[in-house]
Every structure is written in structure tokens, then in C-alpha cells.
Amino acid sequence: MGKYVMALDRDTNMDFDSLRGLLATASHPLNKPYYDSRKGRVVSGYGIFSPTVSVSLFSGMKTLFSSVFTESGTNHYISFVSERNQDFFGEGIFSGKGLIDTEMFDKVCGDRFDKGRILSHDILEGSVLRTCFCPDAGITDSFPSSPKSWFLRLHRWIRGD
């Protein structure tokens, strides 16, 4: 298994050179994750590196619905260019897309959580591994083109898929 894995969705595209930036940030000695066995989590450094997520231009302009939602600021990805948690608390929030340290993930999460008992794993993984928000690295994601597809995606997210 490799040192890192990049978690992306099928409809996600990575900006040019973003992976290199995430790897460079992850390789910096001050960002190396330190695992505290008493606490069962990373207490300094980071195990996850999250890029800025924005809506792809094509999907944002595809329909009137997507155009209104991506321009009005109601899409949470558009405002995800500055992570207040990172600024105030020294760690960000994992949104399910990013570079993950596989060795640390296995060490911290491994068999720790019961299968089928956690609905949304992103926030849990981000909190025990610590997430570093990397605003200089970017990815683009598609936006639903209709209210029905938007609600279906919201339902999946609420369920934890």
C-alpha cells in the first residue's frame, strides 16, 4: 500500500498541480502526524489534507437551477475557500475529498469503529486524523442540474453515503 491515497468522487476533477501541492504540504516536517496512543488520535500534525472545492463551470451553468444555486452562495463548496476551523483551532473539517495518510488512517481507524454503525464517516475521520485545509490546492466538483438531483444528493449525504 502507498503512503497516501487521494479520495475523490467520480464527478470530481483535480486542478493542475494540486496533487503536487498536497503532497508537498503533507511532506513538510511540521505537518507530520503524531499519534497519541492514550488518546487514540492524531494530536499534532495532520493525517488528511483537504483542498479547496469549487463547482465546475460547466455544471454551474448547465441549467437555470444550477446557475442560480452556484451564483447565490447557497452551495457550501463555493464558500469553502477559507476554513475558519483551521484558522481558529489549527485543524480543518474533512469534506470527503483529499489526501489521506494511509498508514496513519489504518493506525487510528483500523478496526476501531463497528461496521455499519456510523452514518457519516468524514467528520469522524477528520477529527481523529486531524485535517489540514490547503487553500492553494483545488478541485472542481459538479453541481446537480435539477432540484430532484439536488435533493437526492442531499439525502445521500444525510445518510452518510
Side-chain angles (χ1 to χ4, degrees):
M1 184 184 313
K3 173 73 174 152
Y4 298 102
V5 65
M6 186 67 198
L8 297 173
D9 292 333
R10 180 184 59 184
D11 60 347
T12 304
N13 294 305
M14 183 157 260
D15 296 352
F16 179 75
D17 228 17
S18 285
L19 183 57
R20 183 188 314 257
L22 289 171
L23 287 167
T25 303
S27 299
H28 192 283
L30 293 176
N31 292 330
K32 182 180 180 200
Y34 174 75
Y35 175 74
D36 185 330
S37 58
R38 287 184 307 111
K39 294 183 178 180
R41 65 191 275 335
V42 173
V43 293
S44 67
Y46 305 96
I48 299 175
F49 299 86
S50 257
T52 297
V53 182
S54 58
V55 173
S56 71
L57 184 60
F58 176 74
S59 72
M61 295 177 24
K62 191 172 186 177
T63 64
L64 179 61
F65 173 79
S66 61
S67 180
V68 167
F69 264 69
T70 58
E71 291 301 317
S72 67
T74 56
N75 178 18
H76 76 283
Y77 281 153
I78 291 175
S79 60
F80 201 59
V81 294
S82 173
E83 177 55 64
R84 288 179 190 88
N85 281 11
Q86 183 78 40
D87 297 341
F88 294 134
F89 305 113
E91 60 182 288
I93 296 173
F94 182 45
S95 66
K97 297 165 180 60
L99 188 70
I100 302 170
D101 183 318
T102 56
E103 295 168 9
M104 194 54 62
F105 182 89
D106 191 44
K107 183 182 237 178
V108 174
C109 296
D111 295 325
R112 180 178 184 174
F113 305 109
D114 294 335
K115 305 273 188 257
R117 303 209 16 118
I118 299 171
L119 286 178
S120 184
H121 56 88
D122 294 342
I123 292 175
L124 180 61
E125 292 164 355
S127 64
V128 296
L129 286 166
R130 287 182 42 98
T131 301
C132 177
F133 178 61
C134 304
D136 292 339
I139 58 175
T140 56
D141 210 356
S142 65
F143 189 83
S145 59
S146 70
K148 181 180 179 181
S149 60
W150 186 82
F151 279 111
L152 288 171
R153 180 179 78 169
L154 182 62
H155 182 258
R156 280 194 324 271
W157 285 356
I158 292 169
R159 264 195 353 235
D161 294 350

